[in-house]
Every structure is written in C-alpha cells, then in structure tokens.
Amino acid sequence: MSHHLVEVNELRYTYPDGTQALAGVDFRITHGEAVAIVGANGAGKSTLLQHLNGYLWPSSGQVRVGDYALTKQNLQDARRSVGMVFQDPDDQLFMPTVREDVAFGPLNLGLSEEDALQRVTTALRQVGALHLQDRPPHRLSSGEKRAVAIATVLAMSPDVLVLDEPSTGLDPKSRRQLIDWLAGYRHTKIIASHDLDLVLDLCQRTIVLSAGKVLADGPTREVFQDQKLLEQSRLERPLRLQGCPVCSLASS
Amino acid sequence: MAGTESRLFDITFLDMLACQESPVHRLDARAKVLTTFIFVVVVASFDKYAVVSLLPLFLFPLVLVVQARLPYGFLGKRLLLVAPFALMVGAFNPLLDQQTQLLLGTFAVTGGWLSFLSILLRFTLTVGMALVLIAVTSFPGICNAIDKLGAPRVFALQLLFLYRYIFVLGEEARRMVRARSLRSFHGRGNGLKVYGALLTQLLWRTIERAQRVHKAMLSRGFVGTVPLLQMKRFTWQDGAFVGLWCGFFIAVRILSGSAELQVWVAELLK
C-alpha cells in the first residue's frame, strides 16, 4: 500500500454560513510529485488543505489518502501520513521549548521518550535547526520558526508534506534557504502559495483554483505562460517569466 | 501598553537568567519548587508581630542570588515595583492597632507598626523568592516540576500555554494600540468605547488562534493528553538541597517560638 498518494474526488464544501468554498474539486497526486495549489484570495486553497487531513469533512465527495478513503476511523493514520505546515508558525509551535514541540507528535504516536528524542534530533538537523532545541519558540526569528515548524512535521515521518504559504514573512535569504531545503526533500509535496516564483522553483505541476473549482491542472511552466488563465484567476506571471524592464529598455 | 511590554520583557529576562549555568541552576526543578513552597508556608506561619525572627530566613534567597549570580539590582527594582500592593495591605495597621508591643529604650513601638513591618518583610521574602525561583528554574521548568510533583496535568498545561501565548497576544495588543494611537488626535479615539472594541477584537483573535492551535495539535496526533518530557533524575544533591534548607526553615520557626530566644532578643534591643 502506498501512503504517498492523495486523491480528491468531486469535493464540495459549504461553510455553515452558506458560503460555498469548494464546488467539485478533482485531482490525484502521486508519489514524489511536487504540486502547487494557486489561486486568488478566497479561491478555496485553505479550505482544500483542511480537507486533506480531516479538519473539515466534505459536504459531498471524497478524499483518499493512500489507498483508502478518509474516514473518522482512519483519521489518525491519515494525520500521521499527511504532515501539515501551517501558515503562521506561532499556531504550530505551542510547547514551551523547541525540543518539546518537535517531540509532541512522536510522543503522541506512542514512541518511547528515547526514540522521540532521536526523531527530534534527526528532524531538527534536517532543517538545520538543531542548535535551537532548547530555545522557547517565541524567541526565534520568523525564518527559524518556519524551519522548526517544518521539523515538527518531519519528526512524524509523513509521506506527504503539505505547506500553506510557506514563504510568508520570510526575508529573501530565509526564503531562499527554505526553497533550497524543499527542493532537496524528495517525498510528495503539496504547496499552497501566492509566491509564484517559489512555485516555479519547486513544483513541476500546478493546480489553479478559482471560485472553488479547478481552473487548470498541468505543468507549472505551461500554466504560468497562459496569460488569459492567469488573469482570469487573478494571478500574475512569476517575475522570472516576465521580461526584465531594465534589459528590454537597454536593448531597444 | 509600555507597561505591559516591560512586564513581558521581565519574563523574558528572567528566563534568560534561567538559562545560565550555576550549581543552583543545575539542581532539579522539583527540588527548587518544593523548597520554595515550604519556605513560603513557613514565612506565612509566623506570628503577626514577627519581625526580628523573620530575618534569618533572608539567608535562603540571598544564598541563591549569590550562588546563581543573579543581578540584585534587577530583582530589587522588580520588588519595588510591586511594593505598593504590600504597602496598601498594611498601611492602616499603625492606625488600627495602637497597643504598645515593644519598648526600645523609652521609645514605644505599637503593634500596628510591628505588623506593618512584618507584612513588608514577608512580602519581600515571598515575592523576592518567587522572582529568584523563576530566574534559577525558568517558567516552563516550574510548570514541569509542579506536574511531576503531582499537580493536575491540566493546571500545568494552562500555565504552559499561558506562558507560550502571552507574548503572541501581547504583541497583537501592542500592534492594535499602536494602530489606534496613530489615528487618534486631540484625545479623541482614546475613550472607553474604543477600548471595548479593542478588547473584543483581541478576544476574537484569541479564539481564532486557539482554534488554529487546536488544529495544529490534532494534526500531530493530539488525542486529549499532552505528553511532557521526563525530567532528569532526582539526585542526592537535590535531596540534600531540599532537606537542609527545609530543616533550616523549620529550625528558625521553632526557635522563634521559644520564650528564651524572645527574652534574649528583647535584651539585645534594650
């Protein structure tokens, strides 16, 4: 059985106040893929992510993680296999020290303290944050918080890594470090972002959401070259795919 | 808001002190919490006119401050900041209790003044010791210790979450107040009504954040209990610390009750 598969069929979700956030979303993400989910504010990205490990239950349709449809019975299993990195690391880092925070997941999985601490060390080393382990989360910089938030998820050895706006609030250097790190991470990745240059660097495939529907799903470069599609979904071509104003002036 | 900020800074500073290295810092948090608890109980158990007999107890915080190389200027200032509370509590004692309790030569000291002085001493001992305890143990260390000493887990967790999010909440409140003052002119926009709106906002944000934190917990396998890491082993040094200091407190307490000592102190004062 492969846990590395995420599939969404005819997914619909309406909030209690009547707002329809998802109006029939379909896609299938397979092992090792890096997929971006992009779209305007309110397009349904966050709502979609919240379905992937069962915070929200679809009004209709289905989410499949691995070979099974997500149900209340296999929820714990799905939450282990789909690791979610939140937009605001302050929401994710709730324990008094970095070490305890990273150990939270492994201990909940029933690991012994020794094994949990082993995982803490491995995960923190992976994101280059081992030196922060005794620090309280509120004394970390945004970049450090982000790295630790990713480590908290890695410590649970997820099969699929889901990141919600991972580059928000990072300075250019921290952003670049994050991109380099994510590029080296070989498991399945799903990244929701407005940072289309980051998407261009990391994801071979892009799903464009608009008004709760999939407007496009294809190779990232192709999607970002489609000017009409980008305008329709309130997006802009990534800076790197735009002509450089300085160079083009010089040549003209 | 500057006040709130500096309070938050205090906690951070105390925690930074708690990261230092010293024999006191190395002691088990449980030993320090337990000893401090007994210290506070002993201080509270003294007679209401106790003044001189309280003095030997200053040895405990002073030894810790010296051994842990804590900055006494900082601790002293924090004590002074909260001192008005103690002054308020005891301020009327000299007026209410005018019975002479002690003669210093020809000078009569009334019970009111003695109990007022006693309140100030107890305040200095207990609040000072609380500050010292955080500075040598750290706030999370204390929470972990009370959990391991058998207090209900939910109690320790409440404190830990309070500690974790008070900075986040403080920062949010600070941003809101700054945003308000940037658009308030000539005292307009500073009224109680606006404060009400700000507080409502803050409450909403807190609830929303709590929901997101809960989601983050769920996504990492939270099923109702928060696992806390074990503490290091309780060593004989920790035991000796608890035993010796508690023995000292109790000895001071028992001796203070002995009539001979009181006579001796009275002689000394004459």
Side-chain angles (χ1 to χ4, degrees):
Chain A
M1 177 188 125
S2 167
H3 275 299
H4 304 249
L5 187 117
V6 177
E7 191 175 354
V8 161
N9 298 319
E10 258 308 291
L11 188 67
R12 287 170 195 278
Y13 183 78
T14 307
Y15 279 100
D17 67 357
T19 318
Q20 190 179 38
L22 298 175
V25 174
D26 290 280
F27 59 75
R28 179 186 164 91
I29 294 170
T30 53
H31 189 182
E33 270 194 287
V35 181
I37 295 177
V38 301
N41 296 330
K45 299 188 296 291
S46 294
T47 312
L48 176 62
L49 293 190
Q50 294 190 58
H51 278 84
L52 299 185
N53 58 3
Y55 307 128
L56 294 179
W57 290 95
S59 310
S60 72
Q62 201 182 49
V63 177
R64 295 177 75 87
V65 175
D67 294 330
Y68 298 100
L70 191 59
T71 61
K72 298 220 160 140
Q73 282 71 42
N74 60 22
L75 188 60
Q76 291 303 321
D77 215 20
R79 283 184 175 159
R80 192 208 56 77
S81 87
V82 179
M84 182 84 68
V85 181
F86 285 58
Q87 183 173 353
D88 182 353
D90 269 325
D91 295 339
Q92 187 140 11
L93 307 176
F94 44 79
M95 295 296 278
T97 64
V98 167
R99 181 189 292 112
E100 284 168 280
D101 211 301
V102 182
F104 180 86
L107 288 174
N108 277 330
L109 289 177
L111 265 68
S112 71
E113 193 162 311
E114 203 180 326
D115 292 343
L117 287 175
Q118 185 57 47
R119 289 231 191 156
V120 171
T121 311
T122 313
L124 283 173
R125 188 172 291 139
Q126 245 182 305
V127 297
L130 192 56
H131 61 291
L132 303 173
Q133 57 178 332
D134 291 314
R135 299 265 292 275
H138 65 263
R139 298 238 313 271
L140 304 180
S141 72
S142 296
E144 290 170 338
K145 277 186 193 169
R146 180 75 59 187
V148 173
I150 293 177
T152 64
V153 174
L154 291 184
M156 302 186 57
S157 350
D159 305 306
V160 179
L161 189 60
V162 180
L163 300 109
D164 190 1
E165 295 288 359
S167 59
T168 308
L170 297 187
D171 60 44
K173 180 84 182 166
S174 309
R175 174 181 170 276
R176 184 50 59 192
Q177 283 171 341
L178 175 78
I179 293 177
D180 290 344
W181 183 82
L182 283 172
Y185 183 76
R186 294 277 162 224
H187 287 299
T188 313
K189 293 184 281 270
I190 302 176
I191 301 175
S193 185
H194 284 138
D195 182 347
L196 300 188
D197 281 283
L198 171 140
V199 167
L200 198 59
D201 274 333
L202 291 174
C203 305
Q204 297 79 42
R205 176 179 163 199
T206 293
I207 296 172
V208 182
L209 280 188
S210 177
K213 284 191 170 161
V214 174
L215 203 62
D217 180 351
T220 301
R221 281 196 175 261
E222 277 176 33
V223 169
F224 289 164
Q225 297 287 0
D226 187 339
Q227 191 57 36
K228 202 169 144 221
L229 171 74
L230 291 177
E231 267 171 37
Q232 200 182 344
S233 42
R234 301 175 64 83
L235 297 172
E236 231 178 25
R237 197 174 280 193
L239 289 172
R240 253 182 311 137
L241 293 183
Q242 294 180 16
C244 169
V246 179
C247 305
S248 56
L249 271 180
S251 63
S252 63
Chain B
M1 231 355 105
T4 317
E5 263 176 68
S6 65
R7 285 308 94 74
L8 290 179
F9 167 76
D10 280 359
I11 307 177
T12 318
F13 188 69
L14 282 172
D15 262 351
M16 272 162 60
L17 294 176
C19 294
Q20 290 179 323
E21 262 296 305
S22 83
V24 186
H25 285 88
R26 277 195 292 278
L27 285 170
D28 190 286
R30 281 165 293 189
K32 288 179 270 187
V33 169
L34 196 65
T35 313
T36 307
F37 176 73
I38 292 170
F39 175 78
V40 171
V41 170
V42 168
V43 169
S45 74
F46 274 83
D47 178 71
K48 72 169 174 171
Y49 297 128
V51 173
V52 181
S53 46
L54 279 171
L55 295 180
L57 290 175
F58 275 93
L59 194 65
F60 180 48
L62 286 179
V63 166
L64 293 194
V65 166
V66 171
Q67 274 203 321
R69 295 185 305 276
L70 300 179
Y72 17 81
F74 171 80
L75 295 174
K77 268 188 218 153
R78 302 306 119 181
L79 269 178
L80 282 181
L81 269 177
V82 257
F85 292 104
L87 289 174
M88 291 265 284
V89 171
F92 293 105
N93 286 16
L95 302 174
L96 295 175
D97 181 355
Q98 304 220 352
Q99 210 164 17
T100 304
Q101 289 286 339
L102 185 70
L103 276 173
L104 291 175
T106 53
F107 186 67
V109 181
T110 66
W113 278 108
L114 274 182
S115 60
F116 178 52
L117 212 59
S118 184
I119 286 174
L120 288 187
L121 283 179
R122 283 168 216 244
F123 159 81
T124 313
L125 282 169
T126 50
V127 178
M129 199 43 228
L131 288 171
V132 171
L133 178 66
I134 301 177
V136 296
T137 317
S138 85
F139 193 81
I142 294 171
C143 297
N144 265 323
I146 55 176
D147 175 69
K148 297 294 180 303
L149 285 171
R153 168 72 50 104
V154 68
F155 183 62
L157 285 179
Q158 285 285 344
L159 286 174
L160 281 174
F161 275 92
L162 169 81
Y163 171 77
R164 170 65 186 88
Y165 284 101
I166 194 152
F167 298 98
V168 179
L169 198 66
E171 179 59 28
E172 271 184 21
R174 197 171 60 84
R175 283 201 301 262
M176 277 164 60
V177 169
R178 193 196 293 151
R180 184 200 57 170
S181 54
L182 286 176
R183 287 188 290 141
S184 307
F185 302 97
H186 312 300
R188 264 174 285 174
N190 282 328
L192 266 183
K193 213 171 141 190
V194 183
Y195 255 110
L198 285 184
L199 282 178
T200 315
Q201 257 306 314
L202 208 55
L203 179 67
W204 267 121
R205 290 187 191 188
T206 309
I207 292 171
E208 280 177 1
R209 185 177 293 278
Q211 283 171 341
R212 292 198 303 270
V213 172
H214 185 232
K215 277 182 197 167
M217 294 172 78
L218 287 178
S219 77
R220 289 199 273 146
F222 173 71
V223 277
T225 51
V226 174
L228 293 178
L229 290 175
Q230 286 297 314
M231 303 182 87
K232 52 182 184 174
R233 282 233 330 267
F234 200 85
T235 61
W236 67 266
Q237 284 102 328
D238 301 316
F241 177 83
V242 179
L244 289 175
W245 278 116
C246 291
F248 170 70
F249 306 150
I250 292 164
V252 170
R253 178 70 189 89
I254 291 171
L255 283 175
S256 79
S258 77
E260 286 160 42
L261 188 81
Q262 282 172 356
V263 171
W264 182 74
V265 169
E267 286 289 323
L268 201 72
L269 288 172
K270 274 177 195 166

